[in-house]
Amino acid sequence: MGKELNSNSDNKTVLEIKDLHVQYNTDEAVVHALNGFSLELKRGEKLGLVGETGAGKTTMALSVLRLLPSKVGEVTRGSIVYDGIDILKASHKEMLNLRGHRISMIFQDPMTSLNPVITVGNQILEVLKLHFPEMSAKEMEHQVDEIMLMVGIPPARKHEYPHQFSGGMKQRIVIAMALVAEPELLLADEPTTALDVTIQAQILELMSRLKEKFNSAMILVTHDLGVVAEFCDTVAIVYAGEVVELGTVEDIYARKENHPYTTGLFQCIPDLTTTVDRLDPIPGFVADPTDLPEGCSFAPRCPHCTERCLKENPEMHMNGSHGIKCHLFDEKEGK
């Protein structure tokens, strides 16, 4: 297929999420998963989305593809615009054309992403049949062979079933399915969580090479700040369904100014140059999405908490490319 890259569009914003609110309506309670989530992504950019379990990272990715659970997941406010297309107002047919073609997702667990009774080659082929019906059968087979080689799997194995592959090889197949249509935006939901360190490094290197080949924008959802430092250009720190800090890797990792939550995450990382009895974890528990605090969601766990923090949600304060959502920075700006 081979897309022509236009250098003039390299800085174009391909995804813009504004003030997104998403809730899950269950029998027990209403779960407020995203609470004013905002984000921009440019063409070719690799963005790391970091936060604890339950922060809303996967919900964001599912919202972009409109894959929230039917009758349970609900977008109550906000907008998602992809390359000029209003995702939340797009028709069912428009979304079918977008998913797997222009926007692809690598799901966290390859075991549940692959059909156990269909050969891996046919599962990759299905993407091409859906989005490129004008291609001949021979061209499709060639494309499948090419993408399998690209992810490091011999094309001869395309007639095998998922259970015949290791965990790392299954993840490579899932990546092949996500990339075979050469998407412009790739959402990778913790693609290396279940893999050992060696395979993790191989998968990240593979994704980086493929991203460079297709100039795709990418959002990498992860818990691992080390992976983000190695792999990403920009970082968004997520807590309780909102971005509390964002910036380039250099902005975040310079450690000159950080959101208190980001500081807490860094304190949880072992330092090989010092000896300590215990790491210094963030006190307390992750904010309960069924009962969020009135003011700043991080206030109950924050060492800098004030009365204002308990009552008023802070604004995002930008300093160049670096943004921090904290009342501490109101004082620095004289507010």
Side-chain angles (χ1 to χ4, degrees), residues 67-89:
L67 290 176
L68 292 170
S70 177
K71 299 181 181 179
V72 177
E74 178 188 5
V75 176
T76 58
R77 200 165 85 204
S79 64
I80 305 171
V81 178
Y82 168 74
D83 198 22
I85 301 169
D86 188 332
I87 293 291
L88 300 180
K89 294 180 181 177

Side-chain angles (χ1 to χ4, degrees), residues 242-244 259 294-299 308-317 324-330:
E242 57 184 333
V243 175
V244 295
H259 189 280
E294 180 184 348
C296 173
S297 297
F298 189 62
R308 184 184 181 191
C309 300
L310 295 172
K311 296 177 181 177
E312 184 183 330
N313 201 18
E315 297 177 359
M316 180 69 76
H317 299 282
I324 299 177
K325 198 172 190 286
C326 179
H327 287 308
L328 283 175
F329 299 88
D330 284 349

Side-chain angles (χ1 to χ4, degrees), residues 94-147:
E94 285 176 312
M95 290 309 301
L96 286 178
N97 289 332
L98 282 175
R99 294 188 197 117
H101 181 198
R102 299 187 66 189
I103 308 174
S104 282
M105 185 166 177
I106 301 171
F107 293 93
Q108 185 172 350
D109 185 3
M111 296 291 289
T112 56
S113 302
L114 295 170
N115 191 320
V117 296
I118 299 178
T119 63
V120 297
N122 279 338
Q123 293 190 57
I124 299 171
L125 191 65
E126 187 177 2
V127 179
L128 296 177
K129 287 181 177 178
L130 179 63
H131 295 294
F132 303 99
E134 72 281 359
M135 289 179 69
S136 68
K138 188 175 180 180
E139 287 174 322
M140 289 186 186
E141 287 292 341
H142 174 74
Q143 193 73 14
V144 170
D145 291 351
E146 193 176 73
I147 198 70

